[in-house]
Amino acid sequence: MFILSVAIFAFISFIQEKLLVPNNSLIWVIKSTASRFVFIYEFYLMFGLFLLLYKDLRKWFSGFYKKHRRTVFPIFGIVNIMLFYAIVTNVAVVTNNKIINHSFLIPQGKQYSYNNITKITAGIYGKKQFLGSSKGDFYYIIELNDGTKIDLGDGGSSYAIFNENTNEADPRFILAKLDRQWVDMGIPKKASMSNFKYTSYSLAKIYSDKIRSILENTK
């Protein structure tokens, strides 16, 4: 089950990178609104496992399939195609001069310049969010001039993946450079050191120190 779950995440990530992420990207994230739906595939895997283990469940499912295969299953297929499309297209990319926000309605992505960033909010979650971030997760939310909010930290997204063409060892190092650039541009930033102690539970010191430098970089 664990291996299949990882394989699904890797497959989705591979498709996103090939279709939506340009070669000059610095960092890209699967936005939290999409990542929260990935658990549905884990439910499918669990159901499939139960079908293999329990004869009565297989018998019930066989009867259900024969009875509803012309109505329920076509609808089920269409819904899942739309779900997969929604997850794959919900990606945000940062390059060296712009931000590209892909979504269900705008799969090609809406582009913003760095000057379109109106506010930055950063910190550490002190408790688990419903179907979302865990205690100790780092969030780095940029707000754009049309009200769009994108979390580039590991708290608001399922993945934060850096471009292998750079020499950085971790996306937080890239984000720290971007943060310095954006703060130097005069973009308002609100950062909180509250709950920072929780980062030591899941991160090595080199990474928690980098998060500290991001949170302390304010004017």
Side-chain angles (χ1 to χ4, degrees):
M1 288 293 294
F2 174 77
I3 293 174
L4 287 174
S5 296
V6 172
I8 289 173
F9 297 148
F11 176 67
I12 292 174
S13 177
F14 174 80
I15 293 176
Q16 290 170 323
E17 185 172 10
K18 294 301 181 183
L19 295 180
L20 305 175
V21 181
N23 292 330
N24 65 339
S25 65
L26 298 177
I27 186 171
W28 63 279
V29 295
I30 303 174
K31 293 179 289 183
S32 58
T33 50
S35 63
R36 291 170 186 171
F37 290 107
V38 176
F39 80 93
I40 293 176
Y41 293 109
E42 295 182 358
F43 172 78
Y44 292 160
L45 291 174
M46 292 179 62
F47 183 75
L49 179 61
F50 290 148
L51 281 177
L52 292 175
L53 296 177
Y54 297 103
K55 182 178 180 180
D56 290 342
L57 182 61
R58 289 199 303 272
K59 184 177 179 180
W60 170 84
F61 184 76
S62 177
F64 181 83
Y65 175 78
K66 291 178 181 177
K67 184 177 180 180
H68 299 286
R69 65 180 183 273
R70 295 182 182 276
T71 55
V72 174
F73 285 92
I75 296 174
F76 177 81
I78 293 172
V79 169
N80 276 274
I81 290 172
M82 293 179 64
L83 174 65
F84 186 77
Y85 170 80
I87 294 174
V88 168
T89 57
N90 221 337
V91 172
V93 182
V94 180
T95 71
N96 56 7
N97 60 1
K98 62 185 175 182
I99 300 157
I100 309 171
N101 185 40
H102 300 273
S103 64
F104 184 89
L105 296 178
I106 312 177
Q108 73 276 16
K110 184 175 181 179
Q111 298 188 11
Y112 303 84
S113 72
Y114 287 175
N115 291 324
N116 294 138
I117 303 174
T118 59
K119 183 181 178 181
I120 298 171
T121 307
I124 307 295
Y125 288 110
K127 60 182 180 179
K128 180 173 177 56
Q129 308 294 305
F130 178 69
L131 291 179
S133 306
S134 300
K135 183 178 180 179
D137 280 349
F138 167 60
Y139 63 87
Y140 187 95
I141 302 171
I142 59 172
E143 185 170 341
L144 302 168
N145 58 356
D146 62 357
T148 299
K149 295 182 179 180
I150 301 172
D151 190 346
L152 298 176
D154 56 20
S157 57
S158 58
Y159 304 102
I161 305 172
F162 67 99
N163 189 326
E164 295 180 356
N165 292 327
T166 69
N167 294 320
E168 303 294 346
D170 186 271
R172 282 162 284 234
F173 287 72
I174 298 174
L175 188 56
K177 289 185 177 181
L178 289 169
D179 177 68
R180 288 193 295 270
Q181 180 179 349
W182 293 339
V183 170
D184 289 343
M185 289 171 58
I187 298 173
K189 178 183 176 183
K190 181 180 180 181
S192 173
M193 287 293 294
S194 298
N195 306 316
F196 177 77
K197 61 182 179 181
Y198 298 130
T199 62
S200 61
Y201 297 162
S202 57
L203 294 176
K205 188 174 184 300
I206 185 174
Y207 303 125
S208 61
D209 284 349
K210 186 57 62 174
I211 290 177
R212 177 192 292 274
S213 71
I214 293 174
L215 297 178
E216 292 178 345
N217 180 40
T218 58
K219 284 188 176 180

